[in-house]
Amino acid sequence: MPLKNNSLVYGSITKLLHWLMAVLIIGLIIIGLIMADMDTSPDKLKLIGNHKAIGIIVLFLAALRLVWKLRNQSPLMPNSLKQWQKKAATGAHLLLYFFMFAMPLSGWAMSSAAGYPVSVFGLFTMPDLIGPSQDLRGFFKEAHALMAWGLMATIALHAGAALLHHFIYKDNILRRMLPYGKLKDDSYAQSDTMAGC
Ligand code: HEM
């Protein structure tokens, strides 16, 4: 497995970041929805603390991933894809990048506005992003919850499309992101410059 991406497959660094972040983000959504349903209790506060710490780790990973993506080529999309499908895939990837930053930043801003510290598992504490404000706390809380639904819809679309390619079109789209995925054949076009993430 190459370390860096090439025109056919993703490299091991991109794959590691992709699957690690997928697990963390889906975990954060599940923890977030559970928290939102709980009455205030020590258990809820503990869960919020863990949610915030993992969310900040996701923010650092998102920055690392963006830098890695900008310094790497992305595998080409197969010629069998229609133009609208390529545009839809690129749109979903852009939206995922947006949420990878907007979700942690809105959560961090919500905590800062509420005057609560954001500690990453007691290892270090993040500086306040904004000053205390009940209005901004309410705003970022709403934005965080609303964007979570947008993120869930985008993940469903993205994962649904990957599974459709794998099981129905039987092409290499999912295989090339799998940890030890072997490509089925070499039917990839080298001419198209619209790349995935
Ligand atoms: C990718 C990162 C993140 C995801 C996917 C995520 C997801 C969620 C979800 C789904 C909820 C439940 C929303 C609702 O239905 O009310 C939630 C709540 C919350 N999140 Fe996040 N979150 C992320 C990052 C963060 C970060 C970095 C912080 C703070 C540093 C944070 C702080 C909170 C807080 C305090 C709540 C509870 C709001 C309340 O009910 O009082 N989140 N999050």
Side-chain angles (χ1 to χ4, degrees):
M1 205 193 308
L3 203 66
K4 295 182 84 175
N5 304 342
N6 59 42
S7 62
L8 290 180
V9 287
Y10 290 101
S12 44
I13 305 267
T14 302
K15 287 182 183 181
L16 178 70
L17 285 168
H18 178 274
W19 292 110
L20 177 63
M21 290 186 76
V23 169
L24 294 180
I25 289 172
I26 291 168
L28 281 168
I29 292 174
I30 295 170
I31 298 176
L33 292 176
I34 294 173
M35 272 158 41
D37 250 11
M38 287 171 81
D39 293 329
T40 308
S41 67
D43 280 349
K44 177 170 179 169
L45 296 181
K46 203 169 165 202
L47 216 52
I48 292 181
N50 289 335
H51 177 90
K52 288 166 38 165
I54 300 169
I56 294 298
I57 292 170
V58 165
L59 181 61
F60 285 123
L61 290 174
L64 197 70
R65 183 167 180 180
L66 184 63
V67 171
W68 184 250
K69 178 167 175 60
L70 295 176
R71 294 174 66 93
N72 253 267
Q73 75 170 133
S74 295
L76 304 171
M77 290 196 191
N79 260 355
S80 55
L81 289 196
K82 297 188 179 66
Q83 208 56 31
W84 72 264
Q85 290 174 311
K86 292 178 182 175
K87 286 196 174 133
T90 306
H93 297 157
L94 287 174
L95 265 179
L96 287 170
Y97 271 95
F98 167 75
F99 288 127
M100 273 186 253
F101 286 95
M103 284 302 297
L105 287 173
S106 58
W108 182 10
M110 181 204 322
S111 285
S112 299
Y116 296 132
V118 177
S119 160
V120 178
F121 297 118
L123 297 173
F124 59 91
T125 302
M126 300 293 285
D128 285 340
L129 198 55
I130 53 174
S133 155
Q134 281 309 313
D135 284 350
L136 286 178
R137 176 194 186 172
F139 171 79
F140 284 113
K141 187 170 151 68
E142 279 287 304
H144 197 70
L146 260 176
M147 286 193 296
W149 290 102
L151 173 59
M152 283 184 252
T154 313
I155 291 174
L157 199 78
H158 173 75
L163 294 174
L164 190 78
H165 278 278
H166 194 67
F167 291 109
I168 308 292
Y169 302 154
K170 300 192 192 306
D171 59 21
N172 284 322
I173 293 277
L174 178 60
R175 281 170 201 275
R176 66 192 190 173
M177 188 51 106
L178 292 177
Y180 295 101
K182 283 216 162 36
L183 296 195
K184 265 176 69 181
D185 51 44
D186 61 354
S187 62
Y188 272 71
Q190 303 294 313
S191 58
D192 199 319
T193 51
M194 281 194 67
C197 302

